[in-house]
């Protein structure tokens, strides 16, 4: 599945990858996005759409908090997110990033 189908998730995954060293000299952003696409294929599509819509509506600052913020900041922000948002972001970090 193309990450371009889920631009909010793509933006979040890219932020997580840059923040945590998932994009570096040996792994380009292009390669990370290919891996993200393969990972998205394995995710339940019914949760991807609401999570993507929520992430897409975030300001740049809130996106940074959702993806790379301190735990207390993230918890406060993610309290308004669709179910499974935090699980999806954490799964991306653990499985792909």
């Amino acid at each position: 599945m193309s990450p371009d189908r889920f631009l909010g998730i793509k933006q979040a995954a890219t932020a997580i990858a840059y923040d945590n060293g998932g994009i570096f000299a040996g792994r380009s952003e292009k390669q990370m996005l290919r891996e993200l696409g393969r990972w998205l294929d394995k995710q339940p599509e019914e949760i991807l759409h609401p999570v993507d819509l929520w992430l897409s509506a975030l300001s740049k600052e809130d996106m940074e908090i959702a993806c790379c913020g301190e735990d207390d900041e993230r918890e406060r922000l993610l309290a308004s997110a669709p179910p499974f948002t935090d699980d999806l972001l954490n799964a991306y970090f653990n499985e792909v990033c």
Side-chain angles (χ1 to χ4, degrees), residues 10-67:
K10 176 184 175 182
Q11 184 179 3
T14 303
I16 291 167
Y18 273 112
D19 188 60
N20 293 284
I23 297 172
F24 55 95
R27 183 179 185 229
S28 67
E29 183 175 319
K30 186 175 180 179
Q31 181 180 352
M32 183 280 299
L33 291 173
R34 279 193 305 269
E35 293 169 7
L36 172 63
R38 287 190 295 269
W39 181 78
L40 286 171
D41 284 338
K42 300 173 188 173
Q43 305 311 307
E45 195 161 337
E46 63 272 7
I47 70 167
L48 294 177
H49 289 287
V51 170
D52 184 65
L53 288 173
W54 185 81
L55 289 168
S56 295
L58 293 178
S59 68
K60 185 175 181 171
E61 285 179 355
D62 283 345
M63 177 66 77
E64 189 69 23
I65 291 169
C67 300

Side-chain angles (χ1 to χ4, degrees), residues 62-78:
D62 283 345
M63 177 66 77
E64 189 69 23
I65 291 169
C67 300
C68 312
E70 297 296 322
D71 287 342
D72 60 328
E73 293 177 307
R74 287 185 77 247
E75 285 178 25
R76 219 174 9 260
L77 180 64
L78 292 169

